[in-house]
Structures are given as C-alpha cells and as structure tokens.
C-alpha cells in the first residue's frame, strides 16, 4: 500500500483528522495532518480503529489471517464431485412486516417431523421441503446477523426473501435490506405479504419497488414478486417454488466429499453440554471426530445433533447442525472449517486469541492516553 497523508486517510475513512491524530498519539506517534502514514502504521491504525480490513489490506498470501477468515487446508478434491445443494435462504424486511410469521408458517407446514426425534427444535436454521427438494431457512431474521456475517466475509445466504407488507409498503428497513442484498450480490425474491388484509395494496408495493431499482417480472423487470399471506399460509408453495427456481439459475453447488466449511449461526454455553454451536455447513461434510476451527475457538467434533434432536454422524452441505466439542463458545457469524489435525487448529486459535488480547490491551492503553490528553 502506498503511504497516505493523515488528512487524506481521515477523509477516506470518514473521520475527523483530529480524532485520527489522537489515535496516532495512542500508538506513540506524534504527527500532523500532513504526516505520511506508512503501511505498518496504517495496519496498526486499522486494527486500532476496528476499520474494515478492505480499506488497506492487500490480498493475503499468507497461510491464514488472524481476522477469522478462511485458512488454507491441505487436501485434494475432484471438481467432478461438485453437485447441486439446497439453497440457504434468509428472510429480511421491515419490522412487523411478517418475517417471523412467514418462518413459523413454513416451519409448521413444510418441515417433516422425524420419526425418532419428533418435535423440531430451534437451532437457528431448519430445512423445509418443497416437492422433493429442500430449502434451508435461517431462522433468525434481522439485519444484525446478516451484517455481522458479511463483515466477517462469510457469505452465508444464497438467496434473500424480502418481506414487504402490502398495507404498509417500503419502509426504511426494507431499503436497508435491499441495499444489503445488492452489496452482497445476493438474488432477492420479494414476498408481498398480508394480502389477506382489506387495505392491502400489492400494486403500490410493486410501484415502490420499481423506484428502488427492483422492477417486477410482470412489469417487464427481473424481480420475482409473490403475493402471500404468511398468516393464512396463502401462496407459500409458490414462494418456495420461486426460491428453487432462482437456486437452479444460480447453480449452487457443493462437494460432499471434502472437509467441511460453514458458518456459526448461533452459539451458547450449555450447562450440561458445554459450548454448543449451530453450524450451517456450506460445503463439504462435517463428521464426528473432525478437528475444527471457528475464529479463535477450536476443538474436535464430539457430537452432531440435527434440528430434530437426533444424533447424527455426518452433516452434509446446507445442513444446519448443533456441534459439540468446541473448547470455547464461538461467535455467531464466524467462519468454521475442518482442518488437517487438532494441533494446527489449536495453534491458529491460540495465535488469534493472542491477537485479540493485544488488540484489547491497545484499546485500554489508548483510553488511558486519551483521558490524559483530555485533562491537559
Ligand atoms: P416481523 O417483525 O417481520 O417478524 O413481523 P411478525 O411476523 O412478528 O408480524 C407482525 C404482525 O403482523 C403480527 O401481528 C402478525 O400476526 C401480523 N402478520 C404477519 N403476516 C401477516 C399476514 O399475512 N396477514 C395478516 N393479516 N397479518 C400478518
Ligand atoms: Mg420477528
């Protein structure tokens, strides 16, 4: 990265130059707005300020990075092993437009109860059946999870369903969701919801969509719109068919014969079972006994539990599964992967922990210096 002046860098990251100068002081550097920041200082600053790495980080050629992204794993795979996998879908939209109602309706009516386990459990995601195909729904709607995942570079979803209430139209969080999907380059299907309501105006919603660059198919555009009632269960089949149609066009593939890669959807410390994390496998197969790494947490898969509460030995692509065996609670949104052996997983996790620790110390010392600065 070429050197950059403090004032220019401040402008680029949208900060006050003065604030940046204070941060520099925190790093022991006295500068002015024309001070030239070299690569090393920039890296320190970016860590310190918790800025997205993309601003300055060059392409990593290292074996692994400490920001929790993918680690290179030594294995061979046959491209011929790739086959279509179920799409992973997120439901987004403005508050009260019906996201939870839709997810509940699909779960209630499109998830087959397993013979052994019976009742499905809430593990953060579930697989629904449409015809003879499966669709994986992420059960935790909302932008935060989505944003967190994107910030960590983990592209979790393949398709987004944007729920827009036909009696309310496009609202601020609808626009946010549209922007998220655009930024992540994820195809979007619009579910115009609450059409059972007497004051529903689906055409008004479509008009408003057009104003945001989403022209409905029936108006000659590319955006698939399905008019539904999540509450009454109307047109849910059509919506699911559209998801599968888009999935087919996207040609979403995975190789079940390779070590697993996935994302942590949720994680908690369970009194009896220790750290329990729900992992959504995106590629490969996760097996009992696999050495795993998720951010700065590692372990060996002790047990896998599916959404019906059944113990399983293998979780294939697009399958959400509870994983036991992490040595600590991983963070939602963290990338998970199987490594060659536990030793390497432990080494990388320790290195990442150390880095997190250093970052904390730096923040603390910065606070002290700033306090001092404010006093004089
Ligand atoms: P969320 O905030 O997007 O998760 O919205 P909810 O699913 O919690 O729904 C908000 C409210 O709208 C609840 O009272 C739902 O019962 C209601 N609702 C959701 N979908 C429909 C629908 O299709 N028709 C009608 N009439 N009400 C709905
Ligand atoms: Mg909700």
């Amino acid at each position: 990265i070429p050197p950059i002046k403090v004032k220019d860098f401040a402008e680029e990251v949208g900060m006050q130059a003065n604030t940046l100068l204070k941060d520099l002081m925190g790093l022991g550097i006295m500068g002015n707005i024309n001070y030239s920041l070299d690569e090393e200082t920039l890296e320190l600053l970016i860590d310190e300020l918790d800025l997205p790495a993309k601003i300055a980080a060059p392409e990593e050629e290292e074996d692994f990075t400490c920001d929790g992204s993918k680690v290179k794993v030594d294995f061979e795979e046959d491209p011929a092993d790739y086959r279509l996998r179920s799409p992973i879908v997120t439901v987004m939209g403005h508050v009260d437009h019906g996201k939870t109602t839709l997810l509940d309706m699909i779960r209630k009516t499109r998830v087959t109860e397993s013979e052994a386990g019976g009742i499905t459990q809430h593990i953060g995601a579930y697989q629904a059946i449409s015809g003879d195909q499966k669709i994986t729904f992420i059960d935790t709607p909302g932008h935060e999870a989505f944003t967190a995942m994107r910030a960590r570079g983990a592209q979790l979803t393949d398709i987004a369903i944007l729920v827009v209430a036909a009696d309310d139209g496009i609202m601020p969080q609808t626009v946010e969701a549209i922007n998220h999907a655009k930024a992540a380059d994820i195809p979007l299907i619009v579910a115009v919801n609450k059409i059972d309501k007497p004051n529903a105006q689906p055409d008004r919603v479509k008009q408003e969509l057009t104003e945001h660059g989403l022209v409905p198919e029936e108006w000659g555009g590319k955006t698939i719109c399905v008019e539904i009632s999540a509450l009454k269960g109307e047109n849910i089949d059509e919506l699911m068919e559209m998801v599968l149609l888009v999935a087919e066009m996207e040609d979403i593939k995975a190789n079940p014969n390779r070590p697993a890669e996935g994302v942590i959807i949720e994680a908690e410390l369970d009194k009896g079972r220790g750290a329990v994390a729900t992992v959504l496998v995106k590629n490969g197969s996760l097996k009992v006994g696999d050495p795993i790494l998720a951010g700065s947490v590692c372990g060996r898969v002790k047990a896998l539990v599916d959404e019906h509460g059944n113990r399983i030995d293998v979780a294939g692509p697009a399958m959400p599964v509870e994983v036991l065996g992490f040595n600590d609670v991983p963070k939602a949104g963290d990338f998970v992967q199987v490594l060659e052996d536990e030793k390497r997983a432990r080494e990388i996790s320790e290195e990442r922990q150390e880095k997190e620790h250093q970052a904390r110390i730096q923040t603390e010392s910065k606070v002290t210096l700033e306090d001092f600065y404010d006093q004089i």
Side-chain angles (χ1 to χ4, degrees):
I1 329 159
I4 179 168
K5 284 183 181 171
V6 166
K7 59 177 180 191
D8 297 332
F9 182 72
E11 195 183 44
E12 191 166 344
V13 298
M15 279 178 76
Q16 293 289 327
N18 274 339
T19 317
L20 195 58
L21 286 172
K22 273 198 203 178
D23 287 317
L24 272 177
M25 244 184 85
L27 296 171
I29 298 165
M30 300 295 276
N32 57 42
I33 55 166
N34 286 313
Y35 183 85
S36 184
L37 301 161
D38 60 15
E39 183 168 338
E40 200 187 318
T41 316
L42 275 173
E43 260 165 25
L44 278 173
L45 262 179
I46 284 161
D47 264 346
E48 175 92 348
L49 304 176
D50 207 14
L51 296 171
K54 72 166 174 14
I55 288 172
E59 280 294 306
E60 285 286 348
E61 270 307 321
E62 273 175 60
D63 178 38
F64 68 90
T65 59
C66 284
D67 63 0
S69 55
K70 206 188 274 197
V71 173
K72 273 187 201 150
V73 183
D74 193 20
F75 71 95
E76 302 215 338
E77 66 176 333
D78 185 352
D81 283 346
Y82 273 79
R83 54 203 64 159
L84 292 175
R85 70 149 162 79
S86 310
I88 301 169
V89 176
T90 317
V91 175
M92 300 168 84
H94 196 73
V95 64
D96 282 347
H97 278 200
K99 300 179 292 292
T100 305
T101 309
L102 175 62
L103 282 162
D104 287 349
M105 175 56 80
I106 295 172
R107 180 196 275 279
K108 256 198 333 242
T109 56
R110 269 67 175 186
V111 174
T112 50
E113 309 244 300
S114 78
E115 311 79 59
I119 304 156
T120 55
Q121 341 220 315
H122 280 269
I123 63 167
Y126 61 80
Q127 285 194 306
I129 314 272
S130 174
D132 59 352
Q133 295 183 74
K134 283 181 183 166
I135 302 171
T136 303
F137 283 91
I138 297 176
D139 212 353
T140 42
H143 307 269
E144 282 146 55
F146 195 78
T147 316
M149 286 173 197
R150 211 153 57 79
R152 291 192 173 89
Q155 181 108 304
L156 180 58
T157 40
D158 303 306
I159 297 167
I161 293 180
L162 178 67
V163 177
V164 188
D167 61 341
D168 201 22
I170 291 193
M171 297 301 280
Q173 283 168 278
T174 318
V175 178
E176 252 175 59
I178 293 173
N179 291 337
H180 277 317
K182 272 188 195 157
D185 201 20
I186 289 172
L188 197 140
I189 295 171
V190 180
V192 181
N193 191 29
K194 308 200 187 183
I195 51 157
D196 59 288
K197 285 189 131 184
N199 56 343
Q201 292 181 276
D203 277 349
R204 203 193 86 193
V205 172
K206 288 176 196 170
Q207 180 55 47
E208 289 173 352
L209 285 170
T210 308
E211 287 158 23
H212 287 88
L214 299 173
V215 182
E217 270 193 322
E218 62 260 49
W219 294 0
K222 284 190 185 145
T223 304
I224 298 175
C225 293
V226 186
E227 295 183 13
I228 66 162
S229 167
L231 192 68
K232 304 257 152 83
E234 252 174 82
N235 279 350
I236 306 297
D237 284 335
E238 284 76 359
L239 180 63
M240 304 225 340
E241 277 163 26
M242 287 306 145
V243 168
L244 289 172
L245 187 78
V246 172
E248 205 183 299
M249 292 190 296
E250 295 286 311
D251 202 30
I252 304 159
K253 286 185 167 156
N255 171 11
N257 303 324
R258 52 157 284 160
E261 279 178 4
V263 177
I264 304 279
I265 302 182
E266 31 178 69
E268 57 167 21
L269 194 60
D270 184 286
K271 267 189 203 137
R273 300 186 295 168
V276 181
T278 299
V279 171
L280 187 45
V281 178
K282 284 205 72 182
N283 195 3
S285 291
L286 186 62
K287 302 190 191 82
V288 172
D290 277 345
I292 38 172
L293 175 73
S296 57
V297 173
C298 66
R300 177 179 287 278
V301 179
K302 262 198 293 197
L304 296 171
V305 184
D306 72 10
E307 62 190 284
H308 306 288
N310 300 320
R311 287 240 179 178
I312 52 173
D313 295 325
V314 185
M319 199 166 161
V321 68
E322 272 191 334
V323 177
L324 278 68
F326 282 106
N327 66 355
D328 199 352
V329 183
K331 293 188 208 66
D334 268 347
F335 188 75
V336 194
Q337 61 186 137
V338 170
L339 297 194
E340 297 89 340
D341 52 63
E342 232 180 318
K343 183 166 163 279
R344 183 159 180 247
R346 200 174 331 112
E347 278 166 8
I348 296 172
S349 86
E350 278 166 7
E351 202 149 330
R352 286 175 173 176
Q353 274 166 29
E354 176 60 24
K355 184 147 186 207
E356 284 173 1
H357 179 64
Q358 290 302 335
R360 263 197 304 277
I361 291 176
Q362 260 188 14
T363 318
E364 278 159 20
S365 67
K366 183 187 123 193
V367 169
T368 339
L369 256 173
E370 260 189 1
D371 292 346
F372 176 70
Y373 191 87
D374 283 343
Q375 279 169 22
I376 54 173

